[in-house]
């Protein structure tokens, strides 16, 4: 009787542990990121003031909001690297690192993406763009108006070519589509919360 009880307790603990690990590493990232209480929404088409980092950009600007400690951010590094390689001559790419736990260097971040592009550590850029989670993509037109703010893909591994939302936004802007339409999944934030990156 004791053996059966111990065995059932062991299996219950094991099931609980597997469920907890699944929640921590997978399921919670499939849910929309909770909108912070004092979130200040930035409407599409708004002129975005980014200060000195983008003052002289005459091409469209693509900003990748990245947290090296966020699993979703880590999984999409190859996809972002591919976008930089494919569109780097037509669009000015930038990375904004949002991480409170560790200090990363510009060189470390550039090595992760295999790209010599500008890297910033400024939370104000996230606030100005209305970003409250990572990974998020922001695309500004040449006049610095918000063209797209959203997800890279429906899957956190960026494996579904039919839902490469950030790439679709780039293609749409480059083809001079002034009235883009993106589905709700593209625009609703998924990933890791940034509680200190909102007004």
């Amino acid at each position: 009787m004791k053996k059966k009880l111990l065995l059932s307790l062991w299996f219950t603990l094991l099931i609980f542990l597997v469920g907890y690990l699944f929640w921590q590493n997978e399921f919670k990232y499939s849910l929309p990121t909770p909108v912070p209480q004092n979130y200040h929404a930035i409407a599409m088409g708004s002129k975005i003031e980014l200060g000195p980092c983008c003052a002289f950009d005459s091409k469209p600007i693509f900003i990748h909001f990245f947290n090296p400690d966020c699993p979703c951010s880590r999984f999409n590094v190859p996809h972002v690297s591919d976008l930089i390689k494919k569109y780097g001559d037509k669009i000015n790419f930038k990375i904004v690192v949002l991480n409170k736990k560790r200090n990363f260097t510009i060189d470390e971040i550039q090595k992760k993406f295999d790209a010599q592009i500008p890297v910033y550590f400024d939370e104000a850029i996230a606030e100005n763009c209305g970003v409250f989670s990572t990974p998020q993509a922001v695309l500004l037109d040449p006049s610095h108006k918000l063209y797209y703010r959203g997800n890279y893909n429906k899957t956190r591994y960026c494996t579904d070519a039919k839902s490469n939302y950030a790439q679709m936004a780039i293609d749409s802007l480059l083809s001079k589509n002034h009235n883009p339409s993106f589905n709700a999944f593209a625009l609703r934030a998924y990933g890791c919360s940034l509680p200190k990156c909102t007004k």
Side-chain angles (χ1 to χ4, degrees):
M1 184 70 178
K2 273 187 177 179
K3 203 172 185 179
K4 278 187 178 179
L5 184 64
L6 280 172
L7 203 57
S8 62
L9 279 171
W10 170 249
F11 277 122
T12 304
L13 181 66
L14 198 60
I15 288 167
F16 174 79
L17 189 61
V18 167
Y20 176 77
L21 288 172
F22 178 72
W23 166 259
Q24 281 297 105
N25 295 299
E26 192 68 39
F27 188 70
K28 76 176 179 180
Y29 298 114
S30 69
L31 302 173
T33 306
V35 178
Q37 196 171 10
N38 299 322
Y39 176 64
H40 176 71
I42 308 294
M44 292 294 178
S46 299
K47 177 100 169 167
I48 306 296
E49 296 299 329
L50 296 174
C53 82
C54 304
F56 301 105
D57 284 303
S58 55
K59 292 180 187 175
I61 300 168
F62 187 100
I63 306 170
H64 173 52
F65 291 90
F66 176 64
N67 178 355
D69 288 336
C70 171
C72 302
S73 280
R74 287 196 303 268
F75 291 139
N76 91 336
V77 167
H79 180 64
V80 175
S81 297
D82 288 344
L83 291 178
I84 293 167
K85 287 181 180 102
K86 184 172 182 178
Y87 298 99
D89 59 332
K90 299 178 188 90
I91 291 183
N92 289 336
F93 283 85
K94 298 168 192 303
I95 297 173
V96 175
V97 178
L98 299 162
N99 183 289
K100 290 288 183 188
K101 293 179 186 170
R102 294 188 281 157
N103 291 324
F104 292 90
T105 66
I106 290 172
D107 190 49
E108 280 178 285
I109 302 301
Q110 288 176 335
K111 278 183 183 165
K112 284 181 188 295
F113 290 90
D114 189 26
Q116 295 295 310
I117 62 171
V119 175
Y120 303 94
F121 301 88
D122 186 357
E123 289 177 14
I125 297 173
E127 290 177 9
N128 292 341
C129 294
V131 168
F132 58 89
S133 73
T134 59
Q136 283 283 283
V138 164
L139 181 61
L140 308 178
D141 70 14
S143 61
H144 294 191
K145 288 184 181 167
L146 183 60
Y147 188 84
Y148 176 77
R149 176 190 57 239
N151 300 310
Y152 283 87
N153 197 286
K154 199 178 204 176
T155 71
R156 67 192 277 207
Y157 302 99
C158 296
T159 53
D160 182 3
K162 292 178 185 171
S163 66
N164 276 343
Y165 302 123
Q167 183 171 352
M168 291 173 187
I170 291 171
D171 289 337
S172 177
L173 178 61
L174 293 177
S175 65
K176 300 193 183 335
N177 178 0
H178 300 294
N179 296 303
S181 117
F182 304 104
N183 72 31
F185 197 93
L187 302 176
R188 192 176 301 127
Y190 288 82
C192 303
S193 296
L194 300 172
K196 298 194 176 179
C197 296
T198 53
K199 291 179 181 175

